[in-house]
Amino acid sequence: MSTSDSTPKERYNARLAAQIEAKWQDRWEIQRTFEAPNPAGPLAEPTKIAGRHKLFILDMFPYPSGAGLHVGHPLGYIGTDVFGRFKRMNGFNVLHALGYDSFGLPAEQHAITTGVHPRENTESNIANMRRQLRRLGLAHDARRSVSTTDEGFYRWTQWIFLQVFNSWFDADRGIARPISELIAEFSSGKRSTGTKSWNEMSSREQKQLVNDHRLAYLADAPVNWCPGLGTILANEEVTAEGRSDIGNYPVFKRNMRQWTMRITAYADRLLDDLDRLDWPESIKLMQRNWIGRSEGARVRFASRAGDIEVFTTRPDTLFGATFMVLSPEHPLVEALTTDTQRAAVDTYRSTASSITDADRQSDTRAKTGVFTGSMATNPVTGKEIPVWIADYVLMGYGTGAIMAVPSGDERDFAFARTYDLPIVATQMPPDSWFAGHGIASTADCTTWPEAFVGEGTYINSRNDNDASSPSSLVLDGITDMATAKRRTNEWLEARGVGQSAITYKLRDWLFSRQRYWGEPFPIVYDEDEMPVAVPDSLLPVTLPELSDFKPQALDPNDEVTDPIPPLARRADWVHTEMEIDDPITGVKRPMAKVRREINVMPQWAGSCWYELRYLDPTNAAAFIDPEVEKYWMGPRHEGHTGGVDLYVGGVEHAVLHLLYSRFWHKVLYDLGHVSSEEPFHRLYNQGYIQAYAYRDERGQTVPAAEVQEREGKYFFDGQQVSREYGKMGKSLKNIVTPDEMYDEFGADTFRLYEMSMGPLDQSRPWNTRDVVGMQRFLQRVWRNLVDEDTGQLTVSETQCPEHLLRALHIAIDGVQRDMDGMRFNTAIAKLIELNNALTKHVEATGSTPRVVAEALTQMLSPLCPHVASELWERLGRTDEITYARFPVADPSLLVSDTMEIPVQINGKVRSRLVAPTGSNDDQLKALALADEKVRIALAGAEPRKVIVVSGRLVNIVA
RNA sequence: GCCCGAGUGGCGAAAUGGCAGACGCGACGGACUCAAAAUCCGUUGCCUGAAAGGGUGUGUGGGUUCGACUCCCACCUCGGGCACCA
């Protein structure tokens, strides 16, 4: 925006905005305006808390990217800032801070290519992000801006890891307990140690037994090995295509010994407590699906190789189980395979192992499988059924084996048809099902085109003619699935061939990474090669310096070479001496040689608990003072989960971060370290800012900023280009940065524009061209209060005319409610309407009544705090607008003497009439029928019915 | 394939059973200016009409209701999640 000589000196434009914004940002910093008092601990100021409600609002932890911010990033930050500022003006003690999730792969990859230490790179990125965000005027408490890479922070990440390591899950009570209590139960004999008694066990055996119960444990498990990144990944970090979420490298399944967290122990609580959270239903659903709880039964089928156990959600269809299918990797396959089938089975198994996950998941693939040659006994029918192997049965779910009920399961049906296996109906489908498929109703499945899945009367489901015999199971005639399932489970349990069971899709959480830039594990290995906690007094275990950050050079497709983590290169660091506490007795041992853990934690570790550290960032004695935690996060009432009052962030963290942090929080809760059961009580997903991108005829993206629009077509450099729509990003050449907005319009206009575009939870396209509307609005507000040429206030102390006062209070009422509901776009619309009404008054009288000037300024303050603060000061107010009470609407000014009532005939508006406020229904009816337009429209016809909605509308049915 | 969510002017959107399109952008007309930019004022869903006015209109088709963008059923399109989970 150019500023020529003719522009009034005191016009509100980018130049003036920049001055005002810098002035107030400096002042807020000096006066420490946004520091929130704590009830206890190092930041305690108890007197400032008395009589105030608290509010803890939180933005999702950002990674300090080297690319800097674009205008999409701050959307949520502005939203929480506006909400927090509004709540401050309503008396709340608001805690709002922003820290940095600064460990992670990008800085390490950058270090590998440039040789710059990840710490240096990370710190300069954080400095740049802080600068960009400070310019936005966010009301953050700067004291609380922690980074996960700070030693003072990851000391406590390590401490929490040790809390998890030093606890076990007591399934009877459904909670985590200290590992010392498990050891006491083992040594006293209260809890069985298996075949060998505790005292007969060697020290190594005791440690192994205990380790197998820890919530953080080492396990040989199939892991996602990504040679391209030189590390393994959690299931959640692998895409559906079998590639890495970061970098899109191939991922291979293989067995490795890794740190694992027993999140599956918490599956039920993680699932059940979703009901107690104020989260979007879609996110709850995604978590429910990810946890994937299925209720059913485990059933054992006898075979010559021993019992084959299956998991099924439909034990009620057991009578229809006409064959079994094992995963090709199932351990019993070897023993079940007969000599005649050996060659076919071996061929199938080797083919199956060479097929990638991606191919195996292709939905167009036909069912394949091979008969093992062995039979198994269906426990309810006593019949011998063939045992097959097929790759549609996965080793990773249930028991890796299924009973196939082709009449009731699509996959089994397809398999049975392919290999001509018998299909027996156990439920009679309703007539409508047959009609829908155009076939006659029959229990003979040979004509069925597909399996029947649903409720139907049970048939062919009895194993004894005498239904009263205790040995019989009779389902025939039952019409509901729940009863049939219950009966079957009872029968299975009584006969000892099965029992009801629950399985989950959720797997334990793979917690180690073979990288450098992460938290080192506070773990060493003792003389038995058993993991032992580093004593608390030696925390933090800091990262040793390295001269070269490259992981071993691996081809992205090399799936055989083992990973060697970068920390292994520092042999002097790995092999050290330490006075550890005995993992069984807890007694301090003399100095002895130990070997350090060389893996590091995944990036999720820090983000699993950062919100707690915001609350007490400088506490050196504890990760958080219990009183501070209770104040900010404690449950609000009986049955309340506690947690952050408002958590705003993108939907992309629906399962990863939000599930992991809930898990850690619950462990901390069980161990008595926090009073809240959940970390985030209310979750709000902001939408994304998207942008148009343009490509020329070769398919190359061209700079979006230089594209011209003419008659609905788009041109770059004279050539027509095609338009597409997507995320803002470097590759699409459509980035707009906050810095450009600051230069062109100022931070307040930018904030206002982002909030006015639409509801916060919706994605929308960025349009730089539209920003000017909010600039004009602020300019008009400014001009209504300040003379553009002289800078003099144009505010009058005289009475405000009633119509303007009414407009003011209607605006106050609406804005108050919109802000409370985070509908900032409609709040802004109401403020514009008020200002438009004010503009008419100023045009007529030359000044703004003080009452309107002050209230308008206050209402603007959460949205555009700099210009509001400046106007507040110019209005002669010496108090801080940040804490000035938000205006309150006078109810008597919200109603006027008259009201306009629309009159409909058959639901279409034909007239409007003005009636005195408070007119009763009969009066409205009479007025409506007497109305000139109504009489013309009715043309003498007698209305059949007249509906009066009190005080709102009249509808005449003609 | 299964499960969610969304479809309203040229564009971003508002109205959640009671006046469809608040508010903003753009466009058009005007004021100011030597001129342009900036700023200000006015008009602006579509069709029809000189105008007053009339008709029509919230993805499509049906239903409930005195009255439907809003509730119900079916379908279409787009976006997201999951995907052989037994």
Side-chain angles (χ1 to χ4, degrees), chain A residues 259-280:
Chain A
W259 281 101
T260 310
M261 292 225 169
R262 211 177 294 280
I263 190 172
T264 50
Y266 280 81
D268 275 331
R269 280 167 64 188
L270 290 170
L271 188 67
D272 294 343
D273 287 347
L274 285 172
D275 295 337
R276 301 161 64 201
L277 295 175
D278 183 3
W279 285 19

Side-chain angles (χ1 to χ4, degrees), chain A residues 85-135:
Chain A
R85 285 176 178 272
F86 171 70
K87 287 293 187 180
R88 262 187 209 97
M89 295 179 81
N90 282 287
F92 283 77
N93 179 22
V94 175
L95 194 156
H96 195 191
L98 193 77
Y100 297 91
D101 189 11
S102 40
F103 274 125
L105 278 176
E108 191 169 344
Q109 299 288 50
H110 184 261
I112 290 164
T113 52
T114 63
V116 176
H117 194 287
R119 168 159 279 114
E120 259 179 61
N121 179 240
T122 302
E123 280 169 4
S124 74
N125 288 352
I126 290 176
N128 185 44
M129 198 160 155
R130 283 216 168 97
R131 177 192 60 76
Q132 284 187 304
L133 290 176
R134 184 182 190 273
R135 189 67 187 75

